[in-house]
Amino acid sequence: MFAAFAIVAILYPFISEGEVLRSDIEWLPAQGLNFTLRMDGFAWMFSMLITGIGFLVVLYARYYMSPRDPVPRFFSFLLAFAGAMQGMVIAGNLILLAIFWELTSIFSFLLIGYWHHNAAAREGARMSLIITGTGGLCLLAGLILTGYIVGSYDLDSVLAAGNAIREHELYVPTLALILLGALTKSAQFPFHFWLPNAMAAPTPVSAYLHSATMVKAGVFLLTRLWPVLSGTDEWFFILGLAGMSTLLLGAYFAIFQRDLKGLLAYSTISHLGLITTLLSLGSPLAAVAAIFHMVNHATFKASLFMAAGIIDHEAGTRDMRKLSGLFSYMPITATLAMVASAAMAGVPLLNGFLSKEMFFAETLGQHSSSMLDEMLPYVATIAGAFAVTYSVRFIHTVFFGPKPQELPGEPHEPPHWMRLPIEFLVLACLIVGIIPGMTIGPYLHTAVTSVLGDRTPQYSLAIWHGISTPLIMSMIAFISGILLYLILKNYLARCEDGPPGLNRLKGQHIFDRMLVTLSWRWARWLEESFGTHRLQPQLFLVILIALIAGCWPFITTDSSFALPSLTGIDPVFALLWGTGMACALGAAYQAKYHRLAALILMGGAGLITCITFVWFSAPDLAVTQLLVEIVTTVLILLGLRWLPKRVEKIDIASTLTAKARRLRDLILAISCGSGMMLIAYHAMTSAPLHDSIARFFVEQAYPEGGGHNVVNVILVDFRGFDTFGEITVLGIVALTVYALLRRFRPAPDSIDIPEQQRRQNAFDDDHPERNIGETVHDYLLVPSVIMQWMFPFIILLAVYLFLRGHDLPGGGFAAGITLAIGLLLQYLASGTRQIEDRLHIMPIRWIGFGLLLAALTGMGSWLSGFPFLTTYSTYLEIPLIGQLPVATALFFDLGVLLLVVGATALMLLAIAHQSTRSYRTRTTESAKTGEET
Amino acid sequence: MELILSLGIGVLVGSGVWLLLRPRTFQVIIGLGLISYAVNLFIFSMGRLVADKPPVTQAGTRIDPAMLADPVPQALVLTAIVIGFATTALFLVILLATRGLTGTDHVDGREPD
């Protein structure tokens, strides 16, 4: 944080002359989206605040946070927030700005909800996220409109197009949307209520986010766009009204808070209202005052929050009715807090005084001849008086008066390092307050010039301007503020939380009611009216909509079908598909009660598919389809054992509704089938595409990919990245299968050993010379010997398929599944238990190494300066084997192979392994009974 | 030939859709299997039906794309087959786990009332 601060500080000379630092990274240039960062004087000033106060807050939080809290989480959120805020300040592109804006909302949510065991924290976090998030969406819409008007999202172009925006017919909606974003973020009336609720956050968060930075984002944006948007009546009325009501209400509410942080929160709201009011005026001098007050407010409010945190930390409560007379316990902190709150009240010789005087001076000027403008000086003076009242209350109740009673802890001074940030900030308040021209003057000037450009007015930062109206206004505010406190003192000592009269008018209640209506009542109503928990109607609708979508082009456009010609049909092929269709229909018919039959029939349809691939020149597909067919069938066979038995009493649904439903489904199925048939026929008989990308692939497969098998070259080279993604998915699926099965609990009626196995085992039990499981083994004796002998040959076949894959049908996928089938055969031959005792396959490692190898091969091309997965190919002369194509794609394909073996084996073995469960349960049970007897 | 294949695709889709709308999980898994065959064949047939011209080039001869089957749909289908297998496996395991947890193989996780 300090390093960031230093970097920002070093950058000052570059921007002090009104230069703009820019850095462009193209992101989505086609959409006008670039990752543009730009820093001018104003952004620099804000960056100083963000990094400087950020550093102090981090230092403070180091002592504030309890060791029991998850501190790393806190600091990572805080730093992430600082990063987002910094990004927002220096964003040079409107969309980028909106993204950072949303990020600050999200991190603010996480930070407010940091103590998530606390209901108030969760509540406050949610509220702030909903309000600032909604505002953020409005802002995004507003910024997009701005970009549309200007024709560019670049901030510099936008700033240069002020007139165009103000005269555009979309100006009002744009302005309204942007203001919604800014006002929600800066907690302006009527969206102010989230800020006091956000006080459930740890105090460093309040000090940083809710005084110095995040809530300033709104006014930052208003200032940033001030040259573009301001000066119109709409601007003045919306902002002026919001700002003035916030200024007044915030100050009024602040007086009547019980909670120290609540008082500070409402005071923050009020001060933000002040800044908004200043910005609304549209005069350059007011903008100067606004910028100046942003800095001043950040300094004194951050220090006050930290002081409140110290009081809370050391005294154990923030309730102002319990706190009193703390001065004798913590004199230094008390003095610091007094100075800071004097700055908050606007006492001379402190920075708050200067900007407040500028504010008073500005309110007197004539801006537009309206009631609002006439009222402004009075509103300002009253709010000033309220500010004095709450500041005096803060100091007087906490630090003076009788010794505190019933405090949870014995208050004392905090460690020095915890106080240091406050000391530093208070010192800044003092120095700026006494010699403004020599300290903040030039920096402020840089910031102001960068915003206002040619319109920078003459202004002076002197403390003494002579006896002027603003000074008299200040005096009135002081005297009446102190008087008000004296009147209210007794009332405040025992009053309820919240101001009298307005207590019932809580934005929070309205917000809650809206939320309940929107997210509960309406949502429930919607769900009850349109939702269903049942899968079948949902699937029915999905398919129906798909059918309608498929038919749509045929209905809307005039398309004629050529009559099918019955010539040129190969009878063998027709017979083949006759079988295939019979298989499909049979599977559909049998799937309910005869699962095994349905599975075999489905396999039949799969085989016909496979033969079709062979027939129409797709050997790779045929090989893969055949192998996958085997694995899928075995997999489902393994699963069959865990499905429920056939219910003896078959109640064929004979009610009318059930029949109607089946008829409806049948009609849908038939329409989908015939629809697909029509589309497929239409597509297949239309003229072939000659100039598709296929030409490129076929022509370049050998020259660039180094392989003759175009399909394989596409997979491992041209579209290698897709394949990489695909094998990743395969690996993830396998791991998911494995994870799901690790905690697998079979249904109660499937736990028992299957009937056949039980009989075989009973037979073994009856014969003392036999071991359990031998009968099963004997049944499969001949096949198992064959299977065991086949193992090396299957491995050889897999290697062969793999090596020839680049030039001839084969490849990593096929080889991998072959190898997995080899393993599977061993399981079939020897039984799960025996094989698991002898053979240790670690499929997860295969998956890992496969993925690693594929990724490393891809990255290898970076070494020679090519993009990810660029292939290098050559031929290698190997004795005995002959010429072998060696491309780096081969290693990639090897990765594919390893992963496919691992994933397939993992899935199959995980399911196969379940069969040992019942055996285990039984043996443990028999062991128990054995012990008993 | 096209007629036969499109008829086959149609029957596969029809059977698959019928099964997809049935209440038992096993029926749905078989239905998905049939539909995936149909979809694979459909994508594959988009390259038109060409016999005896596998997309494997010969060394030393001039390459004429018109003389070979379209490799692009084939590459698409190849990955589709493998992913189809993976999803079938995942669905199967979810089916088994749901059956273990809920005690029923109905798609809604409970027997209809």
Side-chain angles (χ1 to χ4, degrees):
Chain A
M1 207 66 174
F2 187 73
F5 178 69
I7 291 170
V8 176
I10 290 166
L11 285 176
Y12 181 69
F14 295 103
I15 47 108
S16 61
E17 299 301 317
E19 303 276 318
V20 175
L21 292 178
R22 277 182 71 100
S23 149
D24 278 285
I25 298 165
E26 288 208 335
W27 182 14
L28 289 174
Q31 302 291 322
L33 271 186
N34 288 322
F35 195 90
T36 309
L37 299 178
R38 78 190 271 290
M39 184 183 271
D40 57 7
F42 185 50
W44 180 83
M45 203 184 74
F46 247 88
S47 309
M48 287 299 281
L49 280 182
I50 292 165
T51 52
I53 296 185
F55 170 64
L56 295 176
V57 165
V58 167
L59 187 66
Y60 174 78
R62 154 77 182 76
Y63 293 93
Y64 179 85
M65 299 309 287
S66 152
R68 273 168 315 191
D69 293 325
V71 175
R73 191 155 62 91
F74 175 78
F75 281 111
S76 42
F77 286 164
L78 194 76
L79 290 183
F81 169 81
M85 189 69 202
Q86 180 66 50
M88 199 214 75
V89 169
I90 58 173
N93 184 297
L94 293 184
I95 304 298
L96 191 64
L97 189 142
I99 290 170
F100 279 123
W101 180 283
E102 288 294 319
L103 279 178
T104 60
S105 292
I106 290 167
F107 287 116
S108 161
F109 166 77
L110 292 172
L111 280 167
I112 298 171
Y114 173 70
W115 284 319
H116 49 70
H117 46 80
N118 180 349
R122 291 198 303 267
E123 204 48 41
R126 200 168 59 204
M127 186 182 287
S128 84
L129 182 68
I130 291 175
I131 292 179
T132 55
T134 316
L137 280 180
C138 295
L139 175 76
L140 181 63
L143 291 179
I144 289 174
L145 276 180
T146 316
Y148 165 75
I149 295 171
V150 179
S152 159
Y153 291 116
D154 192 74
L155 192 56
D156 284 318
S157 331
V158 171
L159 289 180
N163 284 327
I165 294 176
R166 279 192 297 272
E167 281 154 19
H168 201 273
E169 54 186 4
L170 285 174
Y171 169 71
V172 179
T174 312
L175 179 74
L177 287 169
I178 291 180
L179 289 188
L180 266 177
L183 295 182
T184 48
K185 194 80 161 183
S186 278
Q188 295 295 293
F189 181 82
F191 311 108
H192 61 282
F193 51 88
W194 70 264
L195 188 60
N197 285 299
M199 289 300 130
T203 303
V205 174
S206 312
Y208 190 40
L209 271 68
H210 305 129
S211 70
T213 52
M214 190 180 96
V215 291
K216 289 276 171 28
V219 284
F220 167 83
L221 185 79
L222 292 179
T223 319
R224 182 94 277 177
L225 298 176
W226 189 87
V228 185
L229 296 174
S230 75
T232 58
D233 279 348
E234 292 90 352
W235 169 275
F236 173 67
F237 278 110
I238 304 178
L239 267 192
L241 204 60
M244 277 160 67
S245 17
T246 316
L247 169 67
L248 203 58
L249 284 176
Y252 180 62
F253 277 53
I255 301 177
F256 297 99
Q257 294 301 308
R258 249 191 234 166
D259 182 4
L260 268 185
K261 281 176 80 179
L263 184 150
L264 293 177
Y266 275 108
S267 146
T268 302
I269 293 176
S270 161
H271 278 272
L272 290 165
L274 189 156
I275 298 170
T276 312
T277 315
L278 277 171
L279 289 170
S280 77
L281 295 178
S283 84
L285 258 178
V288 175
I291 296 173
F292 190 30
H293 197 68
M294 284 179 211
V295 183
N296 292 338
H297 177 253
T299 356
F300 64 69
K301 196 47 72 61
S303 60
L304 277 174
F305 265 113
M306 290 189 207
I310 289 180
I311 294 166
D312 184 18
H313 207 253
E314 308 302 345
T317 178
R318 299 193 311 244
D319 192 333
M320 277 193 276
R321 289 169 312 166
K322 290 187 188 153
L323 293 165
S324 75
L326 288 186
F327 189 83
S328 51
Y329 295 102
M330 36 174 81
I332 305 175
T333 311
T335 316
L336 293 170
M338 271 186 260
V339 177
S341 54
M344 174 161 80
V347 173
L349 294 184
L350 291 164
N351 59 358
F353 172 71
L354 296 171
S355 41
K356 190 162 267 188
E357 284 291 281
M358 286 165 98
F359 170 56
F360 283 162
E362 272 309 306
T363 57
L364 291 169
Q366 190 74 22
H367 305 284
S368 70
S369 47
S370 63
M371 269 275 283
L372 205 59
D373 196 36
E374 301 284 319
M375 277 162 54
L376 193 50
Y378 306 103
V379 172
T381 317
I382 298 171
F386 286 163
V388 173
T389 311
Y390 66 68
S391 304
V392 172
R393 181 182 181 210
F394 176 64
I395 295 306
H396 189 258
T397 32
V398 174
F399 294 114
F400 296 98
K403 297 254 159 157
Q405 309 288 322
E406 43 181 305
L407 273 193
E410 173 72 14
H412 55 87
E413 280 287 345
H416 182 240
W417 283 102
M418 188 170 176
R419 216 173 50 216
L420 188 76
I422 311 182
E423 286 168 1
F424 186 82
L425 288 170
V426 167
L427 194 67
C429 286
L430 269 170
I431 294 176
V432 171
I434 297 169
I435 38 169
M438 290 160 69
T439 48
I440 190 105
Y443 304 109
L444 183 65
H445 184 72
T446 317
V448 168
T449 338
S450 72
V451 175
L452 299 178
D454 305 334
R455 295 168 64 195
T456 311
Q458 285 294 319
Y459 61 92
S460 84
L461 290 176
I463 314 170
W464 182 249
H465 287 276
I467 308 268
S468 56
T469 329
L471 194 66
I472 297 169
M473 284 165 76
S474 281
M475 307 259 288
I476 298 173
F478 269 115
I479 297 164
S480 50
I482 293 170
L483 282 177
L484 187 62
Y485 176 68
L486 291 177
I487 298 167
L488 287 176
K489 199 176 136 192
N490 287 327
Y491 172 76
L492 285 176
R494 58 193 158 70
C495 74
E496 297 211 342
D497 202 18
L502 291 176
N503 209 6
R504 299 185 59 128
L505 183 83
K506 272 194 177 164
Q508 192 185 339
H509 286 175
I510 302 168
F511 172 81
D512 282 344
R513 205 160 298 155
M514 268 175 66
L515 207 62
V516 165
T517 315
L518 253 175
S519 70
W520 180 242
R521 292 216 191 104
W522 290 7
R524 276 254 306 234
W525 176 79
L526 270 179
E527 200 211 350
E528 276 167 14
S529 321
F530 298 107
T532 173
H533 290 288
R534 297 179 50 229
L535 186 70
Q536 285 168 280
Q538 296 176 22
L539 276 179
F540 183 83
L541 281 176
V542 169
I543 295 169
L544 186 67
I545 291 168
L547 179 69
I548 292 170
C551 290
W552 193 251
F554 294 99
I555 299 166
T556 48
T557 58
D558 180 44
S559 55
S560 54
F561 281 100
L563 277 177
S565 64
L566 292 171
T567 51
I569 288 176
D570 193 314
V572 182
F573 191 67
L575 196 64
L576 211 60
W577 266 104
T579 324
M581 288 185 259
C583 283
L585 291 172
Y589 187 66
Q590 296 289 354
K592 187 164 190 182
Y593 295 119
H594 302 275
R595 300 199 184 101
L596 186 61
L599 182 60
I600 292 167
L601 287 170
M602 183 177 90
L607 277 181
I608 304 295
T609 307
C610 176
I611 296 172
T612 311
F613 287 143
V614 178
W615 199 293
F616 295 117
S617 338
D620 276 291
L621 293 191
V623 172
T624 317
Q625 176 77 55
L626 184 65
L627 294 167
V628 165
E629 203 50 57
I630 296 170
V631 183
T632 313
T633 310
V634 171
L635 199 69
I636 299 181
L637 274 177
L638 287 168
L640 279 184
R641 184 224 176 290
W642 304 104
L643 284 173
K645 290 199 189 84
R646 179 174 176 170
V647 188
E648 289 307 319
K649 164 176 76 77
I650 307 170
D651 52 334
I652 294 174
S654 51
T655 57
L656 205 61
T657 48
K659 274 184 181 163
R661 200 167 56 222
R662 290 165 72 88
L663 186 67
R664 186 195 67 182
D665 290 352
L666 188 67
I667 292 171
L668 184 69
I670 292 175
S671 345
C672 282
S674 29
M676 263 320 263
M677 188 185 84
L678 284 178
I679 296 180
Y681 184 73
H682 195 56
M684 277 188 266
T685 46
S686 56
L689 307 162
H690 275 303
D691 285 317
S692 70
I693 45 170
R695 173 177 287 275
F696 168 81
F697 286 137
V698 172
E699 282 173 355
Q700 300 303 325
Y702 189 67
E704 288 196 1
H708 287 296
N709 182 1
V710 186
V711 176
N712 186 271
V713 174
I714 291 177
L715 282 180
V716 297
D717 189 348
F718 292 128
R719 307 297 305 159
F721 200 60
D722 289 357
T723 311
F724 186 65
E726 192 209 345
I727 57 172
T728 315
V729 171
L730 194 62
I732 293 171
V733 168
L735 288 176
T736 317
V737 166
Y738 175 67
L740 277 171
L741 285 176
R742 275 192 66 178
R743 293 263 176 279
F744 178 61
R745 274 196 324 190
D749 56 308
S750 303
I751 291 177
D752 289 337
I753 292 184
E755 180 63 29
Q756 186 193 13
Q757 234 177 57
R758 198 156 43 219
R759 277 196 206 151
Q760 287 162 345
N761 288 343
F763 179 74
D764 290 337
D765 271 343
D766 289 343
H767 297 73
E769 77 279 2
R770 299 183 75 94
N771 289 321
I772 288 184
E774 274 190 2
T775 314
V776 191
H777 197 254
D778 289 350
Y779 267 114
L780 286 170
L781 188 58
V782 176
S784 80
V785 168
I786 298 175
M787 286 184 220
Q788 278 166 359
W789 278 83
M790 287 278 282
F791 194 40
F793 294 102
I794 291 177
I795 295 175
L796 196 64
L797 175 69
V799 174
Y800 174 66
L801 275 176
F802 170 68
L803 285 180
R804 76 201 285 261
H806 217 45
D807 279 344
L808 289 164
F813 279 118
I817 299 175
T818 313
L819 209 54
I821 291 174
L823 289 174
L824 184 71
L825 282 182
Q826 297 314 299
Y827 266 71
L828 288 182
S830 319
T832 313
R833 259 169 288 131
Q834 280 90 335
I835 204 82
E836 280 183 356
D837 290 342
R838 275 184 286 153
L839 195 63
H840 288 284
I841 316 162
M842 279 171 276
I844 298 180
R845 294 204 185 166
W846 287 69
I847 295 179
F849 280 118
L851 206 56
L852 197 67
L853 183 64
L856 285 179
T857 315
M859 283 190 264
S861 53
W862 285 345
L863 292 179
S864 35
F866 287 105
F868 191 61
L869 284 170
T870 311
T871 307
Y872 172 77
S873 62
T874 182
Y875 275 82
L876 208 63
E877 202 70 43
I878 296 176
L880 291 179
I881 298 178
Q883 214 183 33
L884 200 69
V886 178
T888 50
L890 198 69
F891 294 105
F892 182 73
D893 216 11
L894 185 62
V896 174
L897 178 136
L898 292 178
L899 190 131
V900 171
V901 175
T904 316
L906 185 62
M907 289 192 267
L908 287 169
L909 304 192
I911 292 191
H913 182 75
Q914 302 308 321
S915 62
T916 60
R917 266 173 191 268
S918 54
Y919 170 75
R920 268 206 314 264
T921 349
R922 207 174 62 114
T923 41
T924 43
E925 268 168 20
S926 60
K928 268 187 208 155
T929 46
E931 277 166 22
E932 280 164 16
T933 53
Chain B
M1 300 299 256
E2 282 84 1
L3 182 70
I4 303 278
L5 186 58
S6 46
L7 207 62
I9 291 175
V11 171
L12 282 173
V13 168
S15 319
V17 167
W18 165 259
L19 283 176
L20 220 53
L21 296 171
R22 295 300 92 215
R24 303 289 153 190
T25 45
F26 186 78
Q27 293 174 303
V28 177
I29 205 172
I30 296 285
L32 281 176
L34 292 178
I35 289 184
S36 70
Y37 293 143
V39 171
N40 285 347
L41 281 170
F42 180 71
I43 299 175
F44 167 71
S45 70
M46 289 303 101
R48 308 296 180 272
L49 304 183
V50 194
D52 296 330
K53 292 172 188 166
V56 177
T57 55
Q58 296 296 318
T61 55
R62 207 181 65 80
I63 299 160
D64 180 13
M67 292 308 293
L68 298 175
D70 192 342
V72 180
Q74 295 197 16
L76 289 176
V77 171
L78 189 69
T79 51
I81 292 173
V82 180
I83 287 288
F85 160 66
T87 45
T88 308
L90 186 62
F91 182 45
L92 179 75
V93 172
I94 290 176
L95 180 163
L96 297 180
T98 324
R99 150 105 172 112
L101 285 175
T102 61
T104 165
D105 67 338
H106 195 277
V107 285
D108 295 336
R110 53 172 185 185
E111 291 297 324
D113 308 318

